[in-house]
Short mmCIF file of all heavy atoms in Angstrom, two decimals:
data_model
loop_
_atom_site.label_atom_id
_atom_site.label_comp_id
_atom_site.label_asym_id
_atom_site.label_seq_id
_atom_site.Cartn_x
_atom_site.Cartn_y
_atom_site.Cartn_z
N MET A 367 -17.99 16.11 7.89
CA MET A 367 -17.70 14.75 7.46
C MET A 367 -18.84 14.15 6.64
O MET A 367 -18.60 13.53 5.60
CB MET A 367 -17.40 13.88 8.67
CG MET A 367 -15.93 14.01 9.04
SD MET A 367 -15.44 12.76 10.18
CE MET A 367 -16.22 13.38 11.62
N CYS A 368 -20.07 14.35 7.09
CA CYS A 368 -21.20 13.79 6.34
C CYS A 368 -21.33 14.51 5.00
O CYS A 368 -21.61 13.87 3.97
CB CYS A 368 -22.49 13.88 7.15
SG CYS A 368 -22.42 12.80 8.59
N GLY A 369 -21.08 15.82 4.99
CA GLY A 369 -21.16 16.58 3.73
C GLY A 369 -20.13 16.06 2.73
O GLY A 369 -20.44 15.86 1.54
N VAL A 370 -18.93 15.83 3.21
CA VAL A 370 -17.87 15.32 2.33
C VAL A 370 -18.26 13.94 1.78
O VAL A 370 -18.13 13.67 0.58
CB VAL A 370 -16.53 15.26 3.11
CG1 VAL A 370 -15.53 14.37 2.40
CG2 VAL A 370 -15.97 16.66 3.28
N LEU A 371 -18.78 13.09 2.65
CA LEU A 371 -19.17 11.74 2.20
C LEU A 371 -20.30 11.81 1.17
O LEU A 371 -20.29 11.08 0.18
CB LEU A 371 -19.60 10.88 3.40
CG LEU A 371 -18.46 10.53 4.37
CD1 LEU A 371 -19.00 9.89 5.65
CD2 LEU A 371 -17.45 9.58 3.69
N GLU A 372 -21.25 12.74 1.39
CA GLU A 372 -22.35 12.88 0.42
C GLU A 372 -21.81 13.30 -0.95
O GLU A 372 -22.21 12.77 -1.97
CB GLU A 372 -23.37 13.92 0.92
CG GLU A 372 -24.35 13.32 1.91
CD GLU A 372 -25.00 14.37 2.83
OE1 GLU A 372 -24.91 15.57 2.53
OE2 GLU A 372 -25.58 13.94 3.85
N ILE A 373 -20.86 14.25 -0.94
CA ILE A 373 -20.29 14.71 -2.22
C ILE A 373 -19.57 13.56 -2.92
O ILE A 373 -19.74 13.32 -4.11
CB ILE A 373 -19.31 15.89 -1.99
CG1 ILE A 373 -20.08 17.11 -1.47
CG2 ILE A 373 -18.54 16.25 -3.25
CD1 ILE A 373 -19.21 18.24 -0.96
N VAL A 374 -18.79 12.83 -2.14
CA VAL A 374 -17.99 11.74 -2.71
C VAL A 374 -18.90 10.65 -3.27
O VAL A 374 -18.68 10.14 -4.38
CB VAL A 374 -17.06 11.19 -1.60
CG1 VAL A 374 -16.54 9.84 -1.95
CG2 VAL A 374 -15.90 12.15 -1.35
N LEU A 375 -19.95 10.30 -2.52
CA LEU A 375 -20.83 9.20 -2.96
C LEU A 375 -21.76 9.62 -4.09
O LEU A 375 -22.32 8.75 -4.78
CB LEU A 375 -21.63 8.66 -1.77
CG LEU A 375 -20.76 7.98 -0.70
CD1 LEU A 375 -21.60 7.58 0.51
CD2 LEU A 375 -20.04 6.74 -1.25
N ALA A 376 -21.90 10.93 -4.29
CA ALA A 376 -22.75 11.39 -5.40
C ALA A 376 -21.97 11.32 -6.73
O ALA A 376 -22.55 11.52 -7.80
CB ALA A 376 -23.21 12.83 -5.16
N HIS A 377 -20.68 11.03 -6.65
CA HIS A 377 -19.86 10.93 -7.88
C HIS A 377 -19.80 9.45 -8.27
O HIS A 377 -19.19 8.65 -7.55
CB HIS A 377 -18.46 11.49 -7.59
CG HIS A 377 -17.60 11.55 -8.80
ND1 HIS A 377 -16.52 10.74 -8.97
CD2 HIS A 377 -17.67 12.32 -9.92
CE1 HIS A 377 -15.95 11.01 -10.14
NE2 HIS A 377 -16.62 11.97 -10.73
N PRO A 378 -20.45 9.07 -9.37
CA PRO A 378 -20.62 7.64 -9.66
C PRO A 378 -19.31 6.85 -9.68
O PRO A 378 -19.26 5.75 -9.13
CB PRO A 378 -21.29 7.63 -11.04
CG PRO A 378 -21.95 8.96 -11.16
CD PRO A 378 -21.11 9.94 -10.38
N ARG A 379 -18.28 7.40 -10.30
CA ARG A 379 -17.04 6.61 -10.42
C ARG A 379 -16.43 6.36 -9.03
O ARG A 379 -16.00 5.25 -8.71
CB ARG A 379 -16.04 7.35 -11.32
CG ARG A 379 -14.86 6.49 -11.65
CD ARG A 379 -13.96 7.12 -12.68
NE ARG A 379 -12.79 6.27 -12.85
CZ ARG A 379 -11.63 6.66 -13.32
NH1 ARG A 379 -11.48 7.92 -13.70
NH2 ARG A 379 -10.61 5.85 -13.42
N THR A 380 -16.42 7.42 -8.20
CA THR A 380 -15.85 7.28 -6.86
C THR A 380 -16.71 6.34 -6.02
O THR A 380 -16.19 5.48 -5.30
CB THR A 380 -15.77 8.66 -6.17
OG1 THR A 380 -15.23 9.59 -7.09
CG2 THR A 380 -14.92 8.60 -4.93
N ALA A 381 -18.04 6.51 -6.13
CA ALA A 381 -18.95 5.67 -5.34
C ALA A 381 -18.74 4.19 -5.70
O ALA A 381 -18.71 3.33 -4.82
CB ALA A 381 -20.39 6.08 -5.59
N ALA A 382 -18.55 3.93 -7.00
CA ALA A 382 -18.36 2.53 -7.43
C ALA A 382 -17.06 1.96 -6.85
O ALA A 382 -17.00 0.80 -6.44
CB ALA A 382 -18.33 2.46 -8.95
N MET A 383 -16.03 2.79 -6.80
CA MET A 383 -14.75 2.31 -6.25
C MET A 383 -14.89 2.03 -4.75
O MET A 383 -14.39 1.03 -4.25
CB MET A 383 -13.66 3.36 -6.46
CG MET A 383 -13.21 3.44 -7.90
SD MET A 383 -11.92 4.68 -8.04
CE MET A 383 -11.72 4.72 -9.81
N ILE A 384 -15.58 2.93 -4.04
CA ILE A 384 -15.76 2.73 -2.59
C ILE A 384 -16.56 1.44 -2.35
O ILE A 384 -16.22 0.64 -1.47
CB ILE A 384 -16.43 3.96 -1.94
CG1 ILE A 384 -15.48 5.15 -2.02
CG2 ILE A 384 -16.83 3.67 -0.49
CD1 ILE A 384 -16.08 6.47 -1.60
N LYS A 385 -17.57 1.24 -3.17
CA LYS A 385 -18.40 0.02 -3.04
C LYS A 385 -17.52 -1.22 -3.20
O LYS A 385 -17.68 -2.22 -2.49
CB LYS A 385 -19.48 0.07 -4.11
CG LYS A 385 -20.47 -1.04 -4.09
CD LYS A 385 -21.68 -0.67 -3.26
CE LYS A 385 -22.42 -1.92 -2.85
NZ LYS A 385 -22.93 -1.94 -1.54
N LYS A 386 -16.58 -1.15 -4.15
CA LYS A 386 -15.71 -2.30 -4.40
C LYS A 386 -14.71 -2.50 -3.26
O LYS A 386 -14.45 -3.62 -2.83
CB LYS A 386 -14.94 -2.04 -5.71
CG LYS A 386 -14.56 -3.28 -6.43
CD LYS A 386 -14.17 -2.93 -7.86
CE LYS A 386 -13.63 -4.17 -8.55
NZ LYS A 386 -13.17 -3.90 -9.89
N LEU A 387 -14.17 -1.37 -2.77
CA LEU A 387 -13.15 -1.46 -1.72
C LEU A 387 -13.77 -1.80 -0.36
O LEU A 387 -13.16 -2.48 0.46
CB LEU A 387 -12.42 -0.10 -1.60
CG LEU A 387 -11.53 0.28 -2.78
CD1 LEU A 387 -11.22 1.79 -2.74
CD2 LEU A 387 -10.23 -0.51 -2.75
N ASN A 388 -14.96 -1.25 -0.12
CA ASN A 388 -15.58 -1.37 1.22
C ASN A 388 -17.08 -1.61 1.05
O ASN A 388 -17.90 -0.72 1.28
CB ASN A 388 -15.32 -0.05 1.98
CG ASN A 388 -15.76 -0.13 3.42
OD1 ASN A 388 -16.25 -1.15 3.89
ND2 ASN A 388 -15.62 0.98 4.14
N PRO A 389 -17.43 -2.87 0.65
CA PRO A 389 -18.83 -3.15 0.29
C PRO A 389 -19.81 -2.86 1.43
O PRO A 389 -20.97 -2.57 1.18
CB PRO A 389 -18.83 -4.64 -0.03
CG PRO A 389 -17.41 -5.02 -0.23
CD PRO A 389 -16.56 -4.05 0.51
N ASP A 390 -19.33 -2.95 2.69
CA ASP A 390 -20.26 -2.77 3.82
C ASP A 390 -20.37 -1.33 4.29
O ASP A 390 -20.99 -1.06 5.32
CB ASP A 390 -19.80 -3.63 5.02
CG ASP A 390 -19.77 -5.10 4.66
OD1 ASP A 390 -20.59 -5.48 3.80
OD2 ASP A 390 -18.91 -5.83 5.18
N PHE A 391 -19.75 -0.39 3.56
CA PHE A 391 -19.74 0.98 4.04
C PHE A 391 -21.17 1.52 4.14
O PHE A 391 -21.98 1.38 3.24
CB PHE A 391 -18.93 1.89 3.11
CG PHE A 391 -18.97 3.32 3.55
CD1 PHE A 391 -18.19 3.74 4.61
CD2 PHE A 391 -19.83 4.23 2.97
CE1 PHE A 391 -18.24 5.04 5.06
CE2 PHE A 391 -19.89 5.53 3.40
CZ PHE A 391 -19.10 5.94 4.46
N THR A 392 -21.48 2.15 5.30
CA THR A 392 -22.77 2.83 5.43
C THR A 392 -22.50 4.25 5.94
O THR A 392 -21.56 4.48 6.70
CB THR A 392 -23.71 2.13 6.43
OG1 THR A 392 -22.98 1.87 7.63
CG2 THR A 392 -24.28 0.86 5.87
N MET A 393 -23.35 5.15 5.52
CA MET A 393 -23.24 6.54 5.92
C MET A 393 -23.40 6.64 7.45
O MET A 393 -24.34 6.06 8.00
CB MET A 393 -24.39 7.25 5.22
CG MET A 393 -24.28 8.68 4.96
SD MET A 393 -22.79 9.25 4.21
CE MET A 393 -23.15 10.94 4.40
N PRO A 394 -22.50 7.37 8.14
CA PRO A 394 -22.68 7.53 9.59
C PRO A 394 -23.98 8.28 9.89
O PRO A 394 -24.41 9.12 9.10
CB PRO A 394 -21.48 8.38 10.02
CG PRO A 394 -20.59 8.50 8.86
CD PRO A 394 -21.33 8.08 7.63
N VAL A 395 -24.59 7.90 11.02
CA VAL A 395 -25.86 8.53 11.40
C VAL A 395 -25.57 9.70 12.32
O VAL A 395 -24.77 9.58 13.26
CB VAL A 395 -26.76 7.49 12.12
CG1 VAL A 395 -28.07 8.13 12.56
CG2 VAL A 395 -27.01 6.29 11.22
#
Side-chain angles (χ1 to χ4, degrees):
M367 275 193 286
C368 293
V370 162
L371 292 170
E372 277 157 15
I373 294 169
V374 162
L375 294 174
H377 185 250
R379 190 172 175 202
T380 314
M383 287 181 187
I384 294 172
K385 183 92 200 141
K386 208 164 174 184
L387 292 162
N388 187 1
D390 300 329
F391 177 78
T392 48
M393 204 49 188
V395 178

